[in-house]
């Protein structure tokens, strides 16, 4: 493919490794660890990989030549900026250990391991992908690596290629599965180490020991660029309310981070809506109230950030959707009724509470809830255009308020949804450095002979040369959760903490931002400018570290 | 408002003025001009401002101190990156002429002149807005300045503030009105010069003598950044077709420029659709055919760029909409019928040809054509989600092809619409320089004592120091066109020329881009990097200048 001028210039960027990783490293073992909860159950499930110590790497004044190693790498799940740099760092790391080491990439996600689809990643290939966005070097996929026959099938090709270590780059689910795989290969004496790397733009894979997942920094900066541009337009034209939905179904970190960067008039945080047991109408009233108060000041414009997952966090909506799933699965004939008959049927079969929620929805959305089903027969919540749903209900509410004499303005809404726009951007300096170091560090974990570890860098708000490198036993992040009706050991998903500093900061400011129009315009990611422009970590990371 | 780190760093950028404007200037008069068409009619309508000479500015070795001047400035119409720099350049220009000069901004567009809403723009204010996006310094608006009573009302405040020159920053309509105003003020001896500046992200205000309108460079770079990111995602995931609609209702310059920058699989150019008298189904079949051919290669993914104005360029749709406007205006009772009755009524009242087009549309779109009307009772074409309409019809066509054994793939579509995301971005180096020079140059035109001129810079593919500065009589760009049933003198809108080099380049490449996946990922606008990254003009401008 033809390279853009920026790609060519950016290829020359040399990610800055932490000092600890800059030469030969030595391993410092910490105390044995335990899982964050359900210790006995998890210990029983992971007899070979539970309770391992945290590892720290330090600079080793003594030259140590490692043995050559063949390594496999997999990209799992949704794209996140920096994935290529993890692979580049891993490549440079295993070559640093021994020049004869080799790297194989499995194609289109975990399925490539199972189906034996792979490619060797040589220096020539690697050099084409340094500091680029995308996962196209080997592709990614959503196949879940969780069954023993998959593990055994994968082992065949690992043996054939003499691969003794596998690096899985993925989110919480993929890293959960990496730990299960590590345990299994250890148990059967397969002689294959498994190392995980924390990826997800959603920011929901982080905890006490993993400060951030990669991609979040770049993606939120792209979204904030766009939100800032829209806010500047909004403030210039002074005639529209922009409803902006942001990717991230299971947590509102992206919306919160973008709010901290751009200071919109309104940002909804799903975790708060759930904690306060708000209804959809509560959320609508909250927005309509601010619209009306701004209108009273002559300001018929504003911006609203909405997390993609909002609907599923509203307890009343969750209940309604749950009952609809049940009802419609048991009565497939309802699908054949006319829209009006269907509505009547649904209303007469729902509980009183759910029926009243259903009746309060705009007709188009209510219909969508009974029409679009996924292959398992479930309502496809992700197809609901929450940003339009909210603006439509706000418009309705404002008309009520107008009749009550509480509103006298104009309300004209525009809608945006940002997700795919940011997942494959070229990584920011932070993500370029972080990812490269994660990959390089994974090579050091391989050299240390361990398995079931996640590559870890800490102290991330400091310049990258001061980051602390090491490994965290993945089982340390586990607890037991019900998934598809079964209790399973999984990495806890990190939701927005309402008592954490990032949310607290937002909560302290939002009343002011709602009324005073305090927009910030961050502009696009810069790769070449002054450090204060190019090297800032996210506000979320900054405030979280203040907590420590 | 709190400034972002980028804004603070970018404020220090000093736009590079052309050498000709870098000191004191002297005026070189060219030959008398004439309008591009309808010379006699336009000469009769503009007895005082027709046939003026083109002006060129050259560096003047002799110091010339001008007289102080009070100047008014107006931002008219949609936001475009760089508007603030025009005003900054104008301010610095009139201060260079004489330190006692003063600048007044009329608020929220031409309406501010009529309603006497204004603010003085002092050095302190100006310095807050250098190299920033948006029009928020004084706001913009869409009031058309075209009636004599508006001109007279405006003159009152101009006289009161002792303003003797007015600069109107706007698109083709606003500059048309600027020429009418210039003629009127000249005719009545008002003693007020009127100067225009060419603005529009759409790129449709340009001609033999105006090489580009400002904002197009920055806006298309923002859209191309996003398209590039989406294409990288598309190529990594290999499972979606992205339908991307781009702002620009009356011409496809934006779509064409973005296609040249990003090399998508498909880009529709409205002007070509119209010239070839294509139907909506022709466009759909063209897309479906490429989808099927890619699927045959195992590639069930791709990108399609769609200009916002497409529907109105399809002759059959234009006819249908025309008849619907007539029918529904004459039969308002149709609005009260049920959707099914309405459909039947419409089908039975349309001509056979229009009825068959109407029947071929997805039901939702057909319904939208009869439901949503603007205040004049017309169909609101801009509300039609063309990107969804096309993907829905493509899906339907693919199912037919599957039955015919001509398609055997998966088709999953995602939709995007980019417009507001780019209109208020911080100007690229090109737009920052171009806008600043346009404003500074407007000050020189004021000092030259002329009226009815547009500020002009040429040789724009050369470094900005080599640009040629001067003024073009606006009447030179005029022809007579029917507008709202009346023949009027207007600046011709520049559509994509099918025999021009930009389109020819695209046409020569598109068959290759359709099949071979030749995506380019331009990345975000850079303000600080190497020149080949930061200082490239648009591909459109580059190829257009090759034509000369």
């Amino acid at each position: 493919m033809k390279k853009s001028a920026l790609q060519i210039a950016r290829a020359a960027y040399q990610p800055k490794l932490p000092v600890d990783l800059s030469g030969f490293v030595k391993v410092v073992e910490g105390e044995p660890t335990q899982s964050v909860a359900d210790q006995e159950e998890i210990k029983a499930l992971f007899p070979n990989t539970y309770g391992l110590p945290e590892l720290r790497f330090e600079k080793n004044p003594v030259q140590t030549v490692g043995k050559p190693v063949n390594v496999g790498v997999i990209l799992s799940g949704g794209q996140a900026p920096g994935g290529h740099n993890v692979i580049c760092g891993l490549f440079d790391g295993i070559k640093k250990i021994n020049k004869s080491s080799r790297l194989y990439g499995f194609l289109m996600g975990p399925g490539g391991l199972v189906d034996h689809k792979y490619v060797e990643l040589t220096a020539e290939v690697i050099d084409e992908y340094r500091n680029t966005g995308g996962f196209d070097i080997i592709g990614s996929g959503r196949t879940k690596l969780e069954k023993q026959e998959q593990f055994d099938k994968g082992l065949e090709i690992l043996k054939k290629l003499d691969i003794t270590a596998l690096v899985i780059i993925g989110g919480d689910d993929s890293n959960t599965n990496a730990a299960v795989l590590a345990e299994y290969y250890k148990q059967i004496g397969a002689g294959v180490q498994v190392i995980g790397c924390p990826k997800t733009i959603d920011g929901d894979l982080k905890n006490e020991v993993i400060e951030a997942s990669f991609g979040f920094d770049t993606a939120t900066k792209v979204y904030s660029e766009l939100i800032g541009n829209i806010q500047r337009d909004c403030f210039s034209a002074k005639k529209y309310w922009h409803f902006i939905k942001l990717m991230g179904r299971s947590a509102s970190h992206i919306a919160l981070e973008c709010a901290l960067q751009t200071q919109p008039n309104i940002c909804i945080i799903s975790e708060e809506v759930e904690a306060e047991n708000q209804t959809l109408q509560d959320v609508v009233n909250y927005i309509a109230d601010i619209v009306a108060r701004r209108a009273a000041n002559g300001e018929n414009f504003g911006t609203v950030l909405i997390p993609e997952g909002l609907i599923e966090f509203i307890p009343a909506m969750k209940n309604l959707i749950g009952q609809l799933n049940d009802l419609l699965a048991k009565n497939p004939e309802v699908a054949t009724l006319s829209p009006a008959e269907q509505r009547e049927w649904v209303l007469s079969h729902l509980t009183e509470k759910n029926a009243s929620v259903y009746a309060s929805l705009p007709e188009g959305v209510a219909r969508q809830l009974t029409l679009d089903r996924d292959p398992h027969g479930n309502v496809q919540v992700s197809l609901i255009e929450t940003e339009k749903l909210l603006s439509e209900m706000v418009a309705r509410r404002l008309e009520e308020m107008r009749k009550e004499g509480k509103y006298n303005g104009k309300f004209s809404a525009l809608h945006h949804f940002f997700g795919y726009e940011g997942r494959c951007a070229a990584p920011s300096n932070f993500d370029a450095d972080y990812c490269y170091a994660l990959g390089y560090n994974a090579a050091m974990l391989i050299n240390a002979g361990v398995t079931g570890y996640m590559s870890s860098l800490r102290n991330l708000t400091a310049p990258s040369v001061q980051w602390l490198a090491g490994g965290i036993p993945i089982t340390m992040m586990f607890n037991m959760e019900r998934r598809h009706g079964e209790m399973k050991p999984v990495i806890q998903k990190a939701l927005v903490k309402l008592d954490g500093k990032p949310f607290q900061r937002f909560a302290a400011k939002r009343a002011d931002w709602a009324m005073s129009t305090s927009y910030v315009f961050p502009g696009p990611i810069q790769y070449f400018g002054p450090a204060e422009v190019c090297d800032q970590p996210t506000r979320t990371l900054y405030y979280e570290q203040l907590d420590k």
Side-chain angles (χ1 to χ4, degrees), chain A:
Chain A
M1 281 185 184
K2 184 178 140 191
K3 287 190 178 143
S4 67
L6 177 58
Q7 257 178 293
I8 294 165
R10 183 68 175 163
Y13 178 74
Q14 183 53 51
K16 302 175 283 288
L17 271 181
V19 169
D20 287 345
L21 296 177
S22 63
F24 295 92
V25 307
K26 66 176 177 197
V27 184
V28 181
E29 270 194 22
E31 295 297 304
T33 60
Q34 50 178 1
S35 60
V36 288
D38 311 309
Q39 289 81 5
E40 286 312 309
E41 280 163 280
I42 290 164
K43 185 175 180 179
L45 289 164
F46 294 87
N48 297 286
T49 53
Y50 186 86
L52 298 171
E54 265 189 61
L55 300 180
R56 270 283 312 279
F57 292 129
E58 289 180 5
K59 194 160 180 164
N60 194 344
V62 184
Q63 280 210 10
T64 56
V65 180
K67 61 177 171 49
V69 61
N70 287 359
V71 174
V73 64
I74 294 174
L75 289 164
S76 180
Q79 279 73 255
H84 288 162
N85 264 26
V86 179
I87 295 176
C88 296
L90 176 60
F91 179 85
D92 291 354
I94 63 173
K95 289 288 184 184
K96 170 86 183 181
I97 291 164
N98 191 301
K99 278 186 184 158
S100 306
S101 297
R102 297 170 83 167
L103 183 62
Y104 295 90
F106 291 99
L107 300 178
M108 301 313 288
L113 175 69
V114 180
D115 302 335
H116 299 187
K117 301 213 165 122
Y118 66 92
V119 67
E120 181 171 356
L121 297 170
T122 60
E124 212 179 5
V125 176
I126 290 288
D127 285 345
E128 288 293 298
Y129 291 89
R130 292 184 189 271
N131 311 309
T132 59
F135 277 11
D136 44 292
I137 186 170
I138 51 175
S140 182
R142 295 197 180 269
T143 303
K144 289 205 186 301
L145 212 54
E146 48 190 3
K147 294 187 190 129
Q148 193 180 314
E149 62 258 36
Q150 293 174 314
F151 301 167
D152 292 336
K153 201 81 182 45
L155 190 55
E156 287 171 20
I157 187 68
L158 296 174
K159 287 289 174 204
K160 190 174 156 202
L161 297 172
D162 197 20
I163 289 173
T164 57
L166 188 61
V167 175
I168 296 177
I169 304 168
D172 52 338
D173 272 356
S174 305
N175 275 285
T176 291
N177 293 337
V180 176
L181 184 62
E183 173 69 24
Y184 179 73
Y185 280 169
K186 184 92 181 179
Q187 176 202 321
I188 66 172
V192 178
Q193 303 163 253
V194 182
I195 305 293
C197 285
K199 170 229 72 167
T200 162
I201 64 160
D202 296 349
D204 55 10
L205 168 49
K206 64 180 171 189
N207 46 51
E208 282 305 302
V209 288
I210 298 293
E211 295 181 2
S213 52
F214 76 77
F216 179 71
D217 186 273
T218 306
T220 54
K221 281 172 180 163
V222 174
Y223 304 146
S224 295
E225 171 200 357
L226 301 179
I227 296 164
N229 287 355
I230 288 170
Q231 290 192 150
R232 191 125 211 179
D233 203 305
C234 179
F235 186 56
S236 298
K238 296 193 163 67
K239 61 181 178 184
Y240 294 116
W241 274 87
H242 292 265
F243 284 69
I244 304 167
K245 187 168 72 174
L246 296 164
M247 196 170 254
R249 272 188 73 186
S250 49
S252 305
H253 296 292
I254 290 179
L256 178 58
E257 171 63 24
C258 291
L260 291 169
Q261 284 192 39
T262 64
Q263 305 189 172
N265 299 106
I266 299 173
C267 175
I268 308 295
I269 300 296
S270 301
E271 289 83 344
E272 184 184 28
V273 169
E274 184 175 45
E276 301 200 347
N277 200 16
Q278 291 178 13
T279 63
L280 184 56
Q281 194 61 50
D282 289 337
V283 175
V284 168
N285 292 352
Y286 169 73
I287 298 172
D289 182 52
I290 291 174
V291 172
R293 283 196 290 133
R294 288 179 63 83
N297 291 346
E299 304 203 309
N300 290 296
F301 65 90
T303 50
V304 187
L305 305 190
I306 304 154
E308 190 186 6
L310 176 63
I311 291 294
E312 289 169 284
F313 277 82
I314 296 173
M317 288 294 294
K318 219 197 268 182
N319 291 340
L320 168 63
I321 291 167
Q323 204 192 351
L324 277 175
N325 280 340
D326 263 13
L327 274 178
L328 297 173
K330 285 182 196 148
N331 301 279
E333 73 282 4
V334 175
T336 63
L337 299 179
S338 79
E341 291 168 334
Q342 204 176 54
R343 186 178 171 84
E344 203 178 316
W345 187 94
V346 166
L347 280 168
S348 66
H349 284 74
L350 287 170
T351 63
E352 193 177 341
K353 210 165 176 183
N354 285 338
S356 103
V357 173
Y358 187 81
S360 76
L361 297 173
E363 216 171 305
V365 174
R367 184 142 190 247
Q368 202 166 23
L369 284 179
T370 61
L371 266 190
D372 296 314
R373 333 292 304 277
D374 72 11
H376 309 287
N378 291 322
V379 169
Q380 286 200 275
V381 183
S382 68
L383 289 185
I384 298 176
E385 294 179 297
T386 320
E387 67 282 23
K388 291 184 185 168
L389 166 64
L390 284 177
S391 84
E392 200 175 319
M393 290 181 72
V394 166
R396 214 158 63 177
R397 172 72 191 136
L398 288 169
E399 285 317 304
E400 289 171 13
M401 291 170 75
R402 193 190 298 281
K403 282 177 198 149
E404 295 162 11
K406 292 180 187 158
Y407 171 65
N408 183 23
K410 287 180 194 165
F411 179 71
S412 196
L414 292 170
H415 306 96
H416 313 263
F417 174 31
F418 300 131
Y420 294 95
E421 289 75 3
R423 305 195 319 170
C424 284
S428 62
N429 282 358
F430 176 89
D431 272 329
D433 291 355
Y434 184 44
C435 291
Y436 185 82
L438 280 174
Y440 195 95
N441 189 62
M444 298 304 127
L445 287 168
I446 292 167
N447 194 43
V450 298
T451 191
Y453 276 76
M454 197 182 291
S455 179
S456 155
L457 293 151
R458 294 162 83 165
N459 196 30
L460 294 177
T461 49
S464 51
V465 290
Q466 296 169 31
W467 293 348
L468 306 174
I472 308 289
I474 301 178
T475 52
M476 183 180 170
M477 304 167 207
F478 273 14
N479 68 354
M480 300 299 290
E481 288 181 24
R482 183 168 299 278
R483 296 279 169 99
H484 304 292
E486 238 181 299
M487 289 305 284
K488 290 211 163 175
V490 295
I491 298 176
Q492 224 171 359
K493 219 177 252 300
L495 301 184
V496 170
K497 289 183 185 156
L498 301 183
D499 59 354
K501 277 234 173 33
F503 179 80
Q504 289 291 322
R505 165 83 188 176
F506 163 72
K509 289 286 184 179
R510 62 179 153 185
D512 180 35
W513 296 349
M515 296 309 296
S516 70
T517 311
S518 312
Y519 302 153
V520 174
F521 316 119
I525 293 175
Q526 295 297 299
Y527 301 101
F528 305 100
E532 71 273 17
V533 175
C534 300
D535 294 331
Q536 292 306 311
T538 60
R539 305 314 293 158
T540 302
L541 186 59
Y542 172 79
Y543 289 119
E544 278 172 354
Q545 295 305 304
L546 285 187
D547 257 348
K548 290 189 179 169

